[in-house]
Amino acid sequence: MIAADLTPALSEPLLHLEQQVIQNHQAIEHWFRAQWQDHETPFYASVDLRNSGFKLAPVDTNLFPGGFNNLKEEFLPLCVQASMVAIQKLCPDAKGVLLVPENHTRNQFYLQNVARLQSILRMAGVRVRIGTLIPDITEPTSLELPGGGKLTLEPIVRRGNRLGVEGFDPCVVLLNNDLSAGVPAVLENIEQQVIPPTFAGWATRRKSRHFAAYSRVAAELAQLIDIDPWLVDPYFGTCGEINFQERTGEECLASHVSDILDKVRAKYREHDIDREPFVIVKADAGTYGMGIMTVKSPDEVRDLNRKQRNKMAVVKEGLEVSDVMVQEGVYTFETVKDAVAEPVIYMVDQFVVGGFYRVHTDRGQDENLNAPGMHFEPMPFDGTCLLPELESRRDCPPNRFYAYGVIARLALVAAALELEAMAAEAEAGEAPVRRLA
Amino acid sequence: MIAADLTPALSEPLLHLEQQVIQNHQAIEHWFRAQWQDHETPFYASVDLRNSGFKLAPVDTNLFPGGFNNLKEEFLPLCVQASMVAIQKLCPDAKGVLLVPENHTRNQFYLQNVARLQSILRMAGVRVRIGTLIPDITEPTSLELPGGGKLTLEPIVRRGNRLGVEGFDPCVVLLNNDLSAGVPAVLENIEQQVIPPTFAGWATRRKSRHFAAYSRVAAELAQLIDIDPWLVDPYFGTCGEINFQERTGEECLASHVSDILDKVRAKYREHDIDREPFVIVKADAGTYGMGIMTVKSPDEVRDLNRKQRNKMAVVKEGLEVSDVMVQEGVYTFETVKDAVAEPVIYMVDQFVVGGFYRVHTDRGQDENLNAPGMHFEPMPFDGTCLLPELESRRDCPPNRFYAYGVIARLALVAAALELEAMAAEAEAGEAPVRRLA
């Protein structure tokens, strides 16, 4: 079923975790059904996972997923079917969706993602037009795509509190823009439903908040399937008021690094794991793998050189980093064609619709792979994460992929809780929404 | 994308119908969303279609579909995902489903269907055990399956008004038994939800009633996409109190045959179709392709020889035929490897989850293919029916498959209306449920 050179080889012994997941598969699905009775499902999300054989955990949950173009064509029917569910739930009368993408017009990969999303939603039976926030685009602009086809960006038009493009009044606004630069005025107080809500953008969202919610649901799942929650949940801590340039807050970082390394060391001993613990220091808000470093000792964050400090100080759109998250590093022992790889799982509504591997030929098992030089390899088709081989107790790819789907959906439940709490705060007027200057 | 020898070749010119379907695809999906807001979706169904190039229509809608084993493995994820939706809707707390199959233990193909269904539902996250109605099975009995694996049939146990098997109290009873022999007492007045409801069995269901509902929804869809409803809807009429052995009711049959042939001849003229009209005479209740004949003149039903009369007189389980349906015959101009073929489309909840071709090397384009000697050929993967190529206006397989999915779902909406009406009658105590002696 799987092309040999794509088979990700796990170099560690059989996951106890994976066994527990497969054996408790029906209880897990039942638990998820209960979650989606109680909580609103995000429209879509992608989750970066790390699998070290002994541990499988999410390290990033993206609420504005940008890699639909990396999914194999064979996953498209699942995307379309799940989108039908999402659309029917969201707004059964939806005839029109306004898709608001990132402001990149030169990133061909991203444009292909937007085109793929448009195509999926169209096949699911809604009209989709693309409203751009780019001020320079003042009339419909068609961009040629590498693989053929084209994408038409249109300037967003606001009439009163309704958003649309010329001649198109959608009933839903779907953001594929993570609002790193803040919520633009044109998106504020919109009459139509905006999904994900603007407060899910990086101007207000914090990774630490997501992982705090994740810890709660991971503990529930761990109890259900009788595992140590740590096997699916990385330790983390946060420091506010960091200024890398002015070197303030370094002591907070060093103390968290030291604390987490100690805790991981204890866990490694408990589970007989002969590895060196490491932590990842990253911006608590923001994306694109910027502002991320691997640290194996508290001293390393005390003596950052200028280059390292510059690298950590800003993320996408020049957003300055002041809140920092220190997270237990999870080794990835998966490889694709001998290069270090980590799975990225895509979800639409409550369903896993596919995934791919992020691969980096120049990075190690303890490094962030979301960095220049990375590339993507499709998951094999039995990597739909939907087809566990329940009779098989051995480590087999469908069961590993099923476990990926479980952990990714666990992060999705966490995102749902996170968004619920933010919505409650936004309603109470508590959430400080950073605005564009 | 498609293996050449599997490409079904349409020998007629481009479907006007298909063009209209593709061009109005978003309006169609919107219409379906509205239907599923108003009507309860059957859990599953399969629809036999006939495609003559100028006309595409359902000829049979099976509410107890028996060919899940004929779906390609690649369609499994769609089946699982759709089953997740169905289960969540039906009963979010469902931990257990009792699957009640037909009483065939020697039909290896059917057993594989049951095993496939069990596997799909398990992967969707529910426990599934198989409760058989076969009186001889008094303890759990494992049957070996041809492709490996086994199926365990267990005697149904009724405690008060709850149905289960030893040590298993399911929350839903899923019938994969069309109750041709009537509703057994053990299935009556069950506390749990029984799906499809027992009145959907052939003891009470009538094809003519399904096609009457179909005509109504077909007329709606036809208006929406601006086509002659006849292009998707075969004429039909019914005769009650037929007795083939005693040769009573032949005049009613002959008169319907004559009437329908006339109407079809007029339509063929209107649409410039140079073909000879034909009708299909079949039992109004019952399945398995028994009791079906092709007729091109009213005289043919007046002079049935003994063999033909015997063939028409009974269907499955020796059910005697007294209600007969006369239905416009739809040519099938699809071929697979030069043999006459008709598509069979499978649905779970509101979703098309796959399909295959029923192929018969010894039958003509105007004959019933559901007969001994038939075999099945998988649909190519782009035959998911979910991926119309909206930019393409030419006849291309994905668009033809999409049209199949639309017509199959139209029959599904008709089935929903049919079941609703039957439920209302059952509640009012009007439906005569034939019981087992």
Side-chain angles (χ1 to χ4, degrees), chain A residues 209-275:
Chain A
R209 187 158 186 167
H210 174 73
F211 280 98
Y214 179 80
S215 284
R216 293 204 304 279
V217 291
E220 264 192 61
L221 185 89
Q223 192 174 27
L224 184 73
I225 67 174
D226 192 25
I227 57 165
D228 179 349
W230 172 77
L231 293 176
V232 296
D233 188 16
Y235 289 120
F236 74 94
T238 52
C239 295
E241 305 191 12
I242 298 281
N243 188 320
F244 282 100
Q245 302 293 14
E246 293 174 11
R247 313 190 63 161
T248 54
E250 280 183 2
E251 269 317 307
C252 173
L253 281 185
S255 127
H256 273 305
V257 167
S258 167
D259 177 45
I260 290 174
L261 286 175
D262 286 348
K263 287 202 234 166
V264 175
R265 206 167 283 120
K267 279 291 177 190
Y268 278 15
R269 263 196 305 272
E270 180 187 335
H271 291 275
D272 255 335
I273 296 156
D274 187 22
R275 290 277 163 180

Side-chain angles (χ1 to χ4, degrees), chain B residues 32-54:
Chain B
F32 277 121
R33 284 198 291 276
Q35 300 307 308
W36 301 130
Q37 285 296 109
D38 292 344
H39 307 291
E40 199 176 317
T41 327
F43 186 85
Y44 55 14
S46 68
V47 176
D48 295 356
L49 298 177
R50 304 273 291 196
N51 183 1
S52 61
F54 53 86

Side-chain angles (χ1 to χ4, degrees), chain A residues 10 12-25 28 51-56 221-232 270-273 392-396 399-400 402-403 406-407:
Chain A
L10 274 183
E12 291 288 311
L14 175 65
L15 274 172
H16 167 64
L17 166 61
E18 187 183 299
Q19 277 187 310
Q20 289 303 100
V21 165
I22 295 301
Q23 279 169 18
N24 293 284
H25 141 269
I28 291 172
N51 183 2
S52 61
F54 52 85
K55 180 161 187 160
L56 171 61
L221 185 89
Q223 192 174 27
L224 184 73
I225 67 174
D226 192 25
I227 57 165
D228 179 349
W230 172 77
L231 293 176
V232 296
E270 180 187 335
H271 291 275
D272 255 335
I273 296 156
S392 160
R393 293 284 176 268
R394 298 171 311 102
D395 176 44
C396 68
N399 286 351
R400 192 187 329 140
Y402 176 73
V406 168
I407 301 304

